[in-house]
Amino acid sequence: MNLTLHVWRQKGPADEGRMERYEIQGVNGHASFLEMLDVLNEQLAERGVEPVAFEHDCREGICGSCGFMINGEAHGPLPGTTVCQLHMRHFKDGDVLYLEPWRAKAFPVIKDLVVDRSAFDRVIQAGGFISVATGSAPEANLIPVPKPLADRAFDAAQCIGCGACVAQCPNGAAQLFTSAKVSHLNLLPQGQPERFDRALAMVEAMEKEGFGACSNFAECEAVCPKEISIDFIARMNRDFLKGKTRSVPKTPMSA
Ligand code: SF4
Ligand code: FES
């Protein structure tokens, strides 16, 4: 199939950036979207044009490195799929595709389709852990975890930190990501001692990073490649409110 691509080109954070049009012929339907871009980049390099920068690592939908907007949709048109797992058979000959980097103030563009998502790292650093004394690994069955809780925690833990939720949200909000990271620990027995401090610390870090406020559009849930439910946002909000209003002493996490 033949495609017309309009790709956001931006040399660096200070560059103004602009869309550039490329024609690509003979695209194989079995190729992934990133493999199609690899072919485009080979063709650009042969013509002495700087290849399009895009981020990737596993190309298996696991690492969360990849992601950009395809015709205004984060990770493209296929639900529950990262752009590295999106295959060209889902497009048709003659399609015109607009590729843009994630759109969010908290994710500044580094180059072309690559954005700086280190704001997510700082949200995790604020509370995405459990404080334990180090030593040898504890016996695996020491703390029994009820199966329904383990399953729910696993649902949240599937978040790969790709940032699609933020990019699709009209407010640039990071509630879905943050609530997934809060919930996968707050649901487990091991996460209980710091539960409310974790919610406080991570929500405060999220706000400090310049993400927007959630107004329940649910665009995040619609584009999330791991289909994380917005129910986790309600759960995080409850823990945040309890953390704000409780009278018991705080743990070092929020001190
Ligand atoms: S919640 Fe979904 S869209 Fe957001 S970072 Fe996690 S995996 Fe990506
Ligand atoms: S490259 Fe790892 S999720 Fe896409």
Side-chain angles (χ1 to χ4, degrees), residues 34 55-67 75 82-85 160 162 226:
L34 298 190
E55 209 174 342
H56 63 96
D57 188 2
C58 70
R59 297 201 180 199
E60 292 180 1
I62 300 166
C63 72
S65 300
C66 66
H75 287 298
T82 54
V83 75
C84 62
Q85 288 285 288
I160 54 174
C162 64
K226 297 299 160 186

Side-chain angles (χ1 to χ4, degrees), residues 11-251:
K11 284 186 171 56
D15 183 27
E16 215 175 41
R18 75 235 155 261
M19 295 301 273
E20 283 195 3
R21 178 190 161 121
Y22 304 107
E23 304 291 337
I24 180 161
Q25 274 94 36
V27 175
N28 189 320
H30 299 301
S32 72
F33 205 94
L34 298 190
E35 285 165 346
M36 183 274 293
L37 286 184
D38 290 337
V39 173
L40 172 73
N41 278 345
E42 280 171 17
Q43 293 177 1
L44 292 179
E46 278 166 16
R47 285 166 32 205
V49 178
E50 171 105 8
V52 176
F54 61 90
E55 209 174 342
H56 63 96
D57 188 2
C58 70
R59 297 201 180 199
E60 292 180 1
I62 300 166
C63 72
S65 300
C66 66
F68 44 81
M69 310 299 285
I70 303 173
N71 286 355
E73 286 182 278
H75 287 298
L78 207 63
T81 309
T82 54
V83 75
C84 62
Q85 288 285 288
L86 175 65
H87 287 83
M88 299 313 295
R89 56 181 168 270
H90 299 291
F91 298 89
K92 56 183 191 315
D93 187 41
D95 271 355
V96 179
L97 306 177
Y98 288 80
L99 314 188
E100 299 166 79
W102 287 160
R103 309 161 173 158
K105 187 176 145 211
F107 290 161
V109 174
I110 296 173
K111 187 175 180 180
D112 298 338
L113 303 177
V114 180
V115 299
D116 178 356
R117 288 172 297 168
S118 57
F120 269 8
D121 298 337
R122 292 185 287 276
V123 173
I124 299 274
Q125 282 163 11
F129 54 85
I130 286 171
S131 304
V132 288
T134 54
S136 59
E139 207 281 310
N141 294 317
L142 207 57
I143 304 174
V145 181
K147 180 75 165 66
L149 279 187
D151 287 348
R152 200 74 186 118
F154 185 73
D155 289 345
Q158 288 191 80
C159 168
I160 54 174
C162 64
C165 46
V166 175
Q168 199 69 36
C169 175
N171 305 328
Q175 260 80 2
L176 194 64
F177 162 80
T178 308
S179 67
K181 297 302 175 191
V182 166
S183 299
H184 89 259
L185 296 172
N186 278 10
L187 279 159
L188 295 173
Q190 294 90 332
Q192 296 314 302
E194 294 165 311
R195 176 174 168 180
F196 303 118
D197 289 331
R198 177 174 299 108
L200 279 178
M202 293 181 79
V203 168
E204 280 163 12
M206 176 184 80
E207 287 174 353
K208 204 168 125 205
E209 291 297 333
F211 292 106
C214 174
S215 46
N216 292 324
F217 277 94
E219 295 280 318
C220 51
E221 186 184 71
V223 298
C224 174
K226 297 299 160 186
E227 301 181 322
I228 306 282
S229 165
I230 54 170
D231 291 354
F232 289 117
I233 299 179
R235 180 178 287 280
M236 176 181 75
N237 288 345
R238 279 198 297 276
D239 282 356
F240 177 80
L241 200 61
K242 277 187 197 161
K244 276 277 181 211
T245 53
R246 84 205 135 151
S247 52
V248 293
K250 292 180 176 182
T251 64

